[in-house]
Amino acid sequence: MKTPYKNIYNVLKLNRFIVLAVVVCALLSSTFSVWMVFNTNQKALNSAFAINTDGSIIPLKLVTQKENFRVEALAHLDLFHNYFYNIDASNYERNLEKALWLGNSSVDNIYRQKKADGVYNRLLQYSLVQKVLSIDSRISENNGSYGFTTTTIFEINRGSIIDTYELVSTGNLIMVDRNFPNNPHGLLITNYFENTLKKLNDEN
């Protein structure tokens, strides 16, 4: 009994399909391998590590971001406290307007309270000069939110009398869009509160 021959065209079609399938699989495999190598290399370049004080490993990129945030935050707080407390009869309106850009309604509430208490009227009436001498801020982080405590030393020049005060204020910082020149650091002060105000001259 003779063995029947397969149709030559069917055999060629099958062979061609197998060859194409193998070529496509090889190309896909090669492309995926190249992508994996490239991706791994990029991660290795961008993910150097640093050792924390407790021995844990921290991505260096995260460390850099936090260092940059700290620099921006300290500069933002320094700018705000200078604008808000370094005032006299000639510049207080301009400085306070700039300060209000750097905080939310909690800052505006303190400004309105001071205005209602006659702080700025006395500034005009007696030509007082309130000058900031130093600003010392400490930044803290808790579960991704940032708080601060700032100690501001300023003096009020009443002509023949100069009184020096220490103000401790607290609040939080959130990130917002930069708005140059109104908010160059892209941060906003929230929950701002003047905790204590102490007259330093009384200690001498």
Side-chain angles (χ1 to χ4, degrees):
M1 184 177 179
K2 295 182 179 180
T3 303
Y5 290 100
K6 295 182 179 180
N7 189 307
I8 188 62
Y9 294 107
N10 291 336
V11 174
L12 291 176
K13 286 181 181 180
L14 179 61
N15 289 343
R16 185 169 60 180
F17 174 78
I18 293 173
V19 171
L20 287 175
V22 171
V23 170
V24 170
C25 288
L27 287 174
L28 291 175
S29 178
S30 300
T31 303
F32 180 75
S33 299
V34 171
W35 179 81
M36 285 294 294
V37 171
F38 177 79
N39 191 46
T40 303
N41 181 59
Q42 289 297 109
K43 287 183 177 179
L45 290 175
N46 294 327
S47 300
F49 295 95
I51 305 299
N52 200 2
T53 53
D54 60 0
S56 60
I57 298 175
I58 307 174
L60 197 58
K61 186 176 181 180
L62 180 61
V63 174
T64 303
Q65 287 176 346
K66 288 187 176 181
E67 288 177 351
N68 290 342
F69 177 86
R70 178 177 173 80
V71 172
E72 296 268 14
L74 291 175
H76 186 84
L77 292 171
D78 190 77
L79 191 64
F80 167 75
H81 286 84
N82 264 304
Y83 281 148
F84 205 64
Y85 299 103
N86 200 74
I87 54 177
D88 57 40
S90 65
N91 69 9
Y92 83 96
E93 288 184 332
R94 181 174 64 254
N95 279 10
L96 292 174
E97 181 181 355
K98 292 178 180 179
L100 292 175
W101 275 96
L102 307 179
N104 72 347
S105 58
S106 61
V107 173
D108 185 62
N109 290 338
I110 291 181
Y111 159 71
R112 291 179 183 276
Q113 184 61 49
K114 288 178 179 290
K115 188 174 182 179
D117 292 341
V119 172
Y120 306 120
N121 283 337
R122 289 194 294 274
L123 196 75
L124 292 171
Q125 184 176 357
Y126 300 107
S127 298
L128 304 180
V129 176
Q130 185 170 295
K131 180 181 179 182
V132 171
L133 302 178
S134 67
I135 299 170
D136 179 32
S137 297
R138 296 186 301 276
I139 311 295
S140 60
E141 180 187 2
N142 184 20
N143 295 327
S145 63
Y146 294 90
F148 68 86
T149 300
T150 300
T151 302
T152 305
I153 307 295
F154 63 91
E155 65 180 21
I156 298 180
N157 189 327
R158 295 180 170 87
S160 58
I161 301 175
I162 298 178
D163 292 322
T164 305
Y165 296 88
E166 178 189 83
L167 171 70
V168 178
S169 56
T170 58
N172 298 99
L173 289 168
I174 61 173
M175 288 181 282
V176 296
D177 292 336
R178 295 178 190 268
N179 185 343
F180 188 83
N182 297 317
N183 192 334
H185 302 289
L187 295 170
L188 195 70
I189 294 171
T190 64
N191 302 319
Y192 186 67
F193 186 72
E194 295 181 340
N195 294 70
T196 61
L197 179 63
K198 181 171 60 176
K199 188 176 180 181
L200 299 181
N201 303 63
D202 294 339
E203 298 180 354
N204 298 331

